Amino acid sequence: MIPAQFDYLAPTTVEEALAALAQHGDEAKILAGGQSLLPVLRMRLNAPEMVIDLGKITSLRGVRDDGDAIVVGAMTQHSVVGSDPLVAEHAALVSKAVEHLADVQIRHRGTFGGALAHADPAGDLGAPALALGAQFVIQGPGGTRTVPAEEFFVDLFETAIGEDEILTEVRLPKHTGWGAHYEKFVRVAHQWPIVAVAAAVRLEGGTIAEARVGLTNMGNTPVRAHAVEQALVGQPATPDGVRDAAARAAEGTNPPSDLNGDADYRRHLATVLTRRAVLTAAGATG
Ligand SMILES: Cc1cc2nc3c(=O)[nH]c(=O)nc-3n(C[C@H](O)[C@H](O)[C@H](O)COP(=O)(O)OP(=O)(O)OC[C@H]3O[C@@H](n4cnc5c(N)ncnc54)[C@H](O)[C@@H]3O)c2cc1C
């Protein structure tokens, strides 16, 4: 289908984009890579009067080292994030998740900030961002604020970004030397996961000293598997050492039931995928 008619603006600075947002209010929509917004417009699920394209704002693109964090500009394409050496070294969990995100074409158009702002519960970037304790930098008419990942994801397709605000960058605290793996279960290749697990572990000898685990599609927002993380600490990085902790993966989750599987199936998947993800992150198998 063809989208309803809209006006189009392509500002070159965040300030211009914010001014346009302020002027058009809830009649305006931000366009990033368009990989989620354009299908929505074409299906006429949304018909904004004004589309504000962030594509010409070069300050929103790129990856930089900022001391204790790697900073990813909101308009940085998935393909750039996925091949960035800083991300691979200090936030490997994100690189691993991007490898599994959609297909090559979508990874070249879709953006890191766009995917996180879209907040699809089946999106692949929320769980790694949550697990790593990402900080979201949001700019609005009143200035810039930083929101922790636990507060950024509010509900299904809803984030802490206000209608008059723009996500400008995401700060990923460095997890240098941690093992990481994203285990995604799909029915069809290059699609959103039925369930996925993002796991990062820091080993001391063969023992898990710290663990961070995030779950995709186990609720309306990405979920942090705190019970698993706590149970993993002090365990050997072996199938036997990880099994009991992984069995707690569904605790506190509220997975959906749909054509791909019911909630019980997803709870079961979460435990199996968590075991695999943690063991692979730890460099073990099982
Ligand atoms: C066929 C297909 C398969 C896909 N498979 C997967 C998959 O397996 N895993 C996965 O995670 N994703 C998948 N995606 C989605 C993909 O990751 C998109 O890139 C992503 O969801 C949206 O990013 P975008 O840059 O295209 O944003 P857009 O589509 O341009 O925008 C998405 C939403 O976010 C808002 N927005 C964007 N940027 C900002 C910002 N900086 N500040 C405030 N609001 C903003 C927009 O207004 C819009 O509401 C798939 C998409 C398609 C079409």
Side-chain angles (χ1 to χ4, degrees):
M1 268 169 66
I2 296 173
Q5 193 170 349
F6 54 80
D7 288 329
Y8 172 86
L9 213 64
T12 54
T13 66
V14 173
E15 288 68 27
E16 282 175 51
L18 287 172
L21 265 184
Q23 188 186 342
H24 296 280
D26 59 9
E27 299 300 339
K29 202 80 187 131
I30 295 282
L31 173 69
Q35 299 305 293
S36 295
L37 183 63
L38 289 186
V40 165
L41 299 190
R42 291 174 73 101
M43 287 186 278
R44 301 212 177 192
L45 297 172
N46 200 326
E49 285 176 6
M50 170 61 76
V51 169
I52 302 167
D53 184 352
L54 303 184
K56 290 193 173 154
I57 309 181
T58 49
S59 64
L60 293 179
R61 291 190 194 275
V63 177
R64 63 186 161 88
D65 190 329
D66 190 26
D68 57 359
I70 297 301
V71 183
V72 181
M75 285 296 290
T76 312
Q77 294 103 321
H78 303 310
S79 55
V80 173
V81 176
S83 61
D84 187 90
L86 285 173
V87 178
E89 183 179 356
H90 302 292
L93 191 51
V94 168
S95 315
K96 301 280 180 187
V98 171
E99 271 174 35
H100 296 276
L101 191 156
D103 57 34
V104 175
Q105 274 176 303
I106 289 161
R107 289 200 292 270
H108 273 86
R109 295 294 309 178
T111 66
F112 196 66
L116 289 163
H118 189 54
D120 185 335
D124 286 306
L125 298 181
L130 184 65
L132 293 181
Q135 302 270 326
F136 292 78
V137 182
I138 297 170
Q139 199 171 327
T144 298
R145 63 193 179 103
T146 301
V147 176
E150 301 81 47
E151 294 167 24
F152 180 77
F153 300 103
V154 175
D155 206 343
L156 211 63
F157 299 104
E158 190 185 337
T159 69
I161 307 171
E163 274 184 2
D164 54 356
E165 294 182 314
I166 290 173
L167 175 66
T168 55
E169 56 190 28
V170 181
R171 301 178 63 83
L172 302 169
K174 284 184 180 172
H175 285 73
T176 317
W178 287 51
H181 185 68
Y182 189 68
E183 185 77 22
K184 172 168 171 173
F185 191 81
V186 284
R187 200 164 52 85
V188 180
H190 306 308
Q191 275 292 356
W192 291 267
I194 298 172
V195 172
V197 177
V201 294
R202 186 175 66 77
L203 296 179
E204 282 175 9
T207 300
I208 297 172
E210 283 181 273
R212 287 176 166 263
V213 180
L215 309 174
T216 306
N217 220 4
M218 286 296 288
N220 284 357
T221 62
V223 179
R224 181 103 177 256
H226 287 291
V228 176
E229 294 177 355
Q230 285 157 16
L232 282 172
V233 173
Q235 295 297 325
T238 62
D240 283 345
V242 166
R243 187 172 295 110
D244 287 351
R248 304 185 63 180
E251 280 181 24
T253 63
N254 185 20
S257 289
D258 57 27
L259 287 175
N260 287 317
D262 64 16
D264 278 344
Y265 177 63
R266 282 192 161 86
R267 287 189 195 97
H268 172 70
L269 267 183
T271 64
V272 174
L273 301 178
T274 297
R275 183 169 52 79
R276 287 186 198 159
V278 170
L279 284 172
T280 310
T285 51

